[in-house]
Amino acid sequence: MKLLPQCCRLQVLGAALAVCMTIGFTLQLLGAPFQRRGSPDRLPRLPLLPGGGAEEGGPSSPRPCQPRRHIVFLKTHKTGSSTIVNLLHRFGETRGLRFALPPRYQFGYPYPFQAQRVKGYRPGGPTFDILCHHMRFHLPEVQKVMPPDSFYFSIVRDPGSLAESAFSYYRGVSPAFRRAGSLARFLAAPERFYDPAERGNHYARNLLWFDFGLAPPAAPGPAAVGAALARLERTFPLVLLTEHFDESLVLLREALCWAEEDVAAFRHNGRSPRAVRPPAPGQAAGLRAWNALDWQLYAHFNRSFWRRVEAFGPARLRAEVARLRERRRELAGRCLQGGGPVEPAGIPDERIRPFQFGQAQILGYALRPGLGPADQQLCTRMVTPELQYKDRLDARQFGANGSEGAPGAGGR
Ligand SMILES: *[C@@H]1O[C@H](CO)[C@@H](O)[C@H](O)[C@H]1NC(C)=O
Ligand SMILES: *[C@@H]1O[C@H](CO)[C@@H](O)[C@H](O)[C@H]1NC(C)=O
């Protein structure tokens, strides 16, 4: 997808949370001591090298489960989902799994997913192992390409910040946002700018509801919404929260029966802190009211998430989150020039420079020079942006001529 160049300062309005996340993550990378103060010193030292106990059980407990290899990740918009895609790409690539790939970078979005959009799909032919690129979810078609024992999961974010991020990012492609000009004007009277029939306006209201492939509820009121969400939860037993990203990674690791190192990832697609503008007071409440379906969806999966945390054990979760952050910090020191995210101008190698979209700069990572062969491979996988990584997987599955178009050329 492409935005025309924008020259409006309001483009940066929605970046605040993303930026806070980037800053918080940078602090983690820098190993700010306060991050770890709460964690017990008696944590076992973990092998931080790849291959340290991947499939043969965690550091303290045997794992009788089998690591899952059939996975459907519904990649939602403006939720930190690119970081999840990176670890799915890595897991699948290192184990030779087959990805269900789009012809370009998305599965016909915003139209509902269709099996025939998957490269190499044949009705009645072999299924795939991992499906994780942007789509509007449509279960019957997904089931045609993925095995019946696939694990389905996704990630959601508070619409009070998600919708603000969407405004900043999609102002050029959503007529409702474009006409309003500013988020404040939009929020003052959204109905004045919003026509649900206009192309591109799915970004302007209840974007999560849309991405999950849900229809507007049959009847107004909590009963119909609750029924739709209960059905959704039967398909998606795990829904992560952007606001609790590291806790989410731990719950994901457990659900997939993966090793701790499999979920250590650097944050992808963060925005430059230079684009910061604090959100206006009251804006979040206005955005939640306008995106009422998304707010109910978020509240529903928030409850499920914390129930899962209770079942996992809050103390155990804290300990594993601390180990995850330590591992990520160690990897950042080992892999990254400067130890953290950098602006695209600081990434000379275009194979790892992230695709730029909208006004705020999208941060990426530069590799430390002189890495040994094993580190070079591991670190490259960790920093490769999703579009270039998808092209690599495509070339691996379909040969050098399998890839169509360069990053940024497609997407709509
Ligand atoms: C999410 O759940 C937690 C724990 O139950 C609760 O404290 C919090 O208020 C909930 N947030 C939302 C937005 O529902
Ligand atoms: C790719 O395409 C070029 C030109 O069409 C052809 O010469 C080459 O053999 C192809 N390579 C593969 C791996 O199919």
Side-chain angles (χ1 to χ4, degrees), residues 241-262:
L241 302 181
T242 307
E243 291 82 0
H244 299 276
F245 202 80
D246 288 345
E247 291 80 0
S248 291
L249 291 176
V250 171
L251 294 185
L252 176 65
R253 183 206 60 70
E254 194 207 30
L256 296 177
C257 186
W258 284 9
E260 292 191 5
E261 69 199 38
D262 293 329

Side-chain angles (χ1 to χ4, degrees), residues 295 298-299 302 306:
W295 177 238
Y298 179 77
N302 177 61
W306 293 108

Side-chain angles (χ1 to χ4, degrees), residues 11-60:
Q11 187 76 8
V12 302
L13 250 179
L17 182 83
V19 165
C20 291
M21 283 161 43
T22 304
I23 293 169
F25 179 60
T26 306
L27 289 176
Q28 284 168 27
L29 288 179
L30 299 174
F34 53 83
Q35 289 280 351
R36 282 174 291 135
R37 196 170 290 156
S39 69
D41 287 326
R42 56 187 163 69
L43 282 180
R45 298 306 300 167
L46 289 176
L48 291 170
L49 288 162
E55 320 262 282
E56 58 269 353
S60 49

Side-chain angles (χ1 to χ4, degrees), residues 1 14 26 44 122 173 175 195 204 256 269 279 332 334 342 382 393 398 411:
M1 75 203 79
T26 306
R122 280 183 293 109
V173 293
D195 171 358
L256 296 177
N269 274 4
R334 196 182 338 155
V342 292
M382 291 194 70
L393 296 171
F398 299 103

Side-chain angles (χ1 to χ4, degrees), residues 148-390:
D149 66 350
S150 297
F151 183 80
Y152 288 65
F153 77 105
S154 189
I155 180 166
V156 298
R157 175 178 173 189
D158 181 346
S161 52
L162 185 152
E164 186 184 49
S165 175
F167 184 89
S168 148
Y169 209 68
Y170 298 116
R171 216 176 63 98
V173 293
S174 163
F177 287 163
R178 195 169 51 227
R179 242 174 254 133
S182 79
L183 185 57
R185 267 169 58 84
F186 179 76
L187 271 179
E191 300 282 4
R192 259 181 57 206
F193 306 104
Y194 174 79
D195 171 358
E198 270 183 317
R199 183 183 164 84
N201 271 352
H202 63 281
Y203 291 121
R205 190 174 204 184
N206 295 316
L207 180 54
L208 285 172
W209 193 270
F210 183 87
D211 284 355
F212 275 98
L214 296 173
V225 171
L229 293 174
R231 269 198 308 280
L232 197 58
E233 188 158 5
R234 284 198 289 277
T235 304
F236 292 92
L238 177 63
V239 175
L240 311 176
L241 302 181
T242 307
E243 291 82 0
H244 299 276
F245 202 80
D246 288 345
E247 291 80 0
S248 291
L249 291 176
V250 171
L251 294 185
L252 176 65
R253 183 206 60 70
E254 194 207 30
L256 296 177
C257 186
W258 284 9
E260 292 191 5
E261 69 199 38
D262 293 329
V263 297
F266 300 140
R267 172 125 12 239
H268 281 250
N269 274 4
R271 291 193 212 187
S272 168
R274 292 198 301 186
V276 179
R277 235 178 83 155
Q283 228 163 42
L287 288 170
R288 288 172 187 151
W290 171 246
N291 297 283
L293 291 174
D294 275 11
W295 177 238
Q296 291 171 84
L297 185 150
Y298 179 77
H300 179 93
F301 286 116
N302 177 61
R303 280 191 295 274
S304 316
F305 183 89
W306 293 108
R307 270 200 302 272
R308 226 176 221 275
V309 168
E310 280 307 313
F312 185 89
R316 183 179 159 221
L317 183 73
R318 277 194 299 277
E320 194 170 326
V321 164
R323 288 201 297 273
L324 171 66
R325 290 178 177 165
E326 174 62 25
R327 186 185 298 275
R328 191 194 276 134
R329 202 175 63 84
E330 188 274 337
L331 284 163
R334 196 182 338 155
C335 294
L336 304 179
Q337 175 113 56
V342 292
E343 298 198 341
I347 309 172
D349 184 349
E350 66 178 26
R351 287 169 304 178
I352 58 170
R353 196 187 308 139
F355 174 52
Q356 299 297 306
F357 187 82
Q359 279 270 293
Q361 298 213 65
I362 307 295
L363 302 180
Y365 300 96
L367 289 182
R368 283 181 54 202
L371 294 172
D375 276 354
Q376 179 74 31
Q377 192 178 48
L378 169 71
C379 298
T380 301
R381 285 187 173 127
M382 291 194 70
V383 304
T384 300
E386 57 184 309
L387 301 187
Q388 287 97 321
Y389 213 140
K390 182 255 152 191

